[in-house]
Amino acid sequence: MLLMTNARTFNTLDLDALLASRALLMVGGKGGVGKTTTASALAVRAADQGSKVLLVSTDPAHSLADAFNRPIGNQPTVLSPGLTALELDPDDEVEAYLERVSAQMRRFATPDQFRELDKQLRLSRQSPGAQEAALLERISRLIDEDSHDYDLLIFDTAPTGHTLRLLSLPEVMAAWTQGLLRHSEKARKLGQVLGHLTPEKSIDSPLQDPTEHATSGLDPRSQEVADTLMARQRLFNRARRQLTNPSHTAFIFVLTPERLPILETRRAVASLQEHAIPVVGAVVNRVLPDAAEGPFFAARHARQKAHMEELANALGSLPRKDVALQKDDIQGLEAIRQFAGLLGNVDR
């Protein structure tokens, strides 16, 4: 089927090549443009081609389960041979995150101190940013640890929010820990440890570990605090290095030929590129086919032509894949598999 496009030529996004050559795909876009459907289709296609795939949704609306028309939830769920899916539940992630923090504090605080700290933790469950902090740590662990169990991780995620915050976590954490410990006399030595936690330091270098002797002389409790902080800092640094590695990671935008998605995509692409995230292209979804006839579709075609010109300017030289508007909703594994066929290397 031929699709109506702007006169300007563009490079076609080779999604099959990405599925074969990358270990991490991030799929982003404005709500309602088919982002979850596209991420699901890419995961199904990769699994059908023999890869072991983990598909992760960070959407609290659980749209991944809606797309596959079956429950998925916060535990890995096998959907088909080679394809496992996971929906991160923000409330569950907050509970797990605070349980870990509580367990650590119990070792360092007196019983009276712990009761007060535990009270503050319970209050923090509803504080602004609590869910995001927990989600970001879980995403970091998935990228760093779970990636070893799969050939490909695909994230159905917000275009800029989570990704950019992951990039800033090393600096944010270093500033927070230094401020927390600045008022303690005992923290003078620990402050030297924190100096090694700056993002410029390669604390995971197999040839040189700048923290090797940094904690010598600390008492056991301070040593444990330092080790905990450094472990988390290493985690966020490793996640960031993977996100910015163009041979490992690719970010794909999904949008429709409409003004608001185009504007949002333009801003998001610029923001991610500024932070060295490898944006490789876009899927333009729900393009009207030429065969649509009648006065209503003539008007829609005219409007879409203008939007496609605007879209070409917004994306610049970024490769893209245009996908026709489908006559039915895409729901269930087989429907997603059929949609995945439209994303493959077929003649335009």
Side-chain angles (χ1 to χ4, degrees):
M1 176 183 294
L2 295 176
L3 305 181
M4 186 199 72
T5 63
N6 52 292
R8 181 179 306 191
T9 58
F10 61 89
N11 294 325
T12 301
L13 178 61
D14 189 343
L15 291 165
D16 282 335
L18 287 175
L19 294 177
S21 63
R22 301 300 197 278
L24 175 61
L25 291 184
M26 310 287 283
V27 182
K30 185 177 175 62
V33 298
K35 172 174 59 70
T36 297
T37 300
T38 301
S40 300
L42 291 172
V44 169
R45 188 169 182 84
D48 286 348
Q49 293 173 351
S51 294
K52 189 177 181 183
V53 183
L54 177 63
L55 173 62
V56 182
S57 172
T58 63
D59 185 354
H62 306 309
S63 54
L64 200 61
D66 294 337
F68 283 94
N69 198 27
R70 58 162 296 176
I72 294 178
N74 202 25
Q75 295 298 323
T77 303
V78 176
L79 300 178
S80 66
L83 175 58
T84 301
L86 175 65
E87 289 180 323
L88 299 185
D89 185 285
D91 291 330
D92 289 349
E93 295 305 326
V94 168
E95 288 299 321
Y97 177 79
L98 293 180
E99 282 298 322
R100 290 194 296 271
V101 173
S102 178
Q104 291 171 350
M105 290 194 313
R106 189 182 294 274
R107 296 198 300 270
F108 305 138
T110 66
D112 288 341
Q113 289 174 330
F114 179 77
R115 280 193 291 271
E116 180 60 29
L117 290 169
D118 193 53
K119 175 184 175 182
Q120 296 302 319
L121 275 182
R122 288 197 301 272
L123 292 173
S124 71
R125 281 172 169 79
Q126 304 302 322
S127 64
Q131 289 187 345
E132 185 176 59
L135 280 174
L136 288 176
E137 180 165 337
R138 180 68 186 281
I139 291 170
S140 296
R141 294 192 183 282
L142 285 167
I143 292 173
D144 182 59
E145 299 168 5
D146 293 55
S147 59
H148 301 302
D149 299 324
Y150 297 91
D151 301 311
L152 176 64
L153 263 65
I154 298 180
F155 279 88
D156 170 25
T157 184
T160 54
H162 288 156
T163 307
L164 293 183
R165 284 171 177 78
L166 276 176
L167 292 176
S168 67
L169 273 177
E171 291 93 341
V172 171
M173 185 179 174
W176 178 79
T177 50
Q178 287 170 358
L180 180 68
L181 296 165
R182 187 174 294 127
H183 301 292
S184 170
E185 183 69 23
K186 191 181 292 185
R188 289 184 182 273
K189 177 64 177 177
L190 195 52
Q192 298 175 16
V193 176
L194 297 175
H196 294 283
L197 301 183
T198 56
E200 291 76 16
K201 303 286 185 177
S202 180
I203 62 177
D204 294 307
S205 169
L207 301 179
Q208 181 180 5
D209 184 358
T211 66
E212 184 177 356
H213 303 294
T215 61
S216 61
L218 292 179
D219 62 78
R221 179 175 295 182
S222 297
Q223 175 82 48
E224 190 169 358
V225 173
D227 290 343
T228 299
L229 292 173
M230 285 190 290
R232 295 190 70 211
Q233 188 73 352
R234 288 188 179 104
L235 169 67
F236 296 142
N237 276 328
R238 288 194 298 269
R240 178 164 69 175
R241 283 199 292 272
Q242 292 193 54
L243 282 172
T244 56
N245 181 355
S247 64
H248 181 90
T249 298
F251 202 107
I252 300 168
F253 280 94
V254 182
L255 71 158
T256 52
E258 299 170 290
R259 183 161 180 76
L260 291 181
I262 292 170
L263 291 174
E264 181 167 316
T265 301
R266 182 201 292 267
R267 291 191 295 266
V269 168
S271 184
L272 290 181
Q273 289 177 336
E274 181 183 351
H275 287 80
I277 298 293
V279 180
V280 299
V283 172
V284 184
N285 194 23
R286 300 173 190 158
V287 179
L288 287 175
D290 292 334
E293 299 177 350
F296 172 82
F297 286 107
R300 293 292 299 178
H301 272 301
R303 178 63 61 85
Q304 181 175 273
K305 182 177 181 181
H307 285 323
M308 294 296 271
E309 289 288 350
E310 185 179 4
L311 188 150
N313 291 328
L315 296 182
S317 61
L318 243 117
R320 76 178 204 236
K321 183 79 173 180
D322 291 354
V323 181
L325 176 68
Q326 302 299 295
K327 63 181 181 180
D328 295 320
D329 292 338
I330 300 165
Q331 191 174 41
L333 179 60
E334 287 310 312
I336 291 174
R337 180 171 281 119
Q338 290 179 20
F339 183 78
L342 303 176
L343 301 177
N345 295 328
V346 296
D347 293 335
R348 290 174 45 80

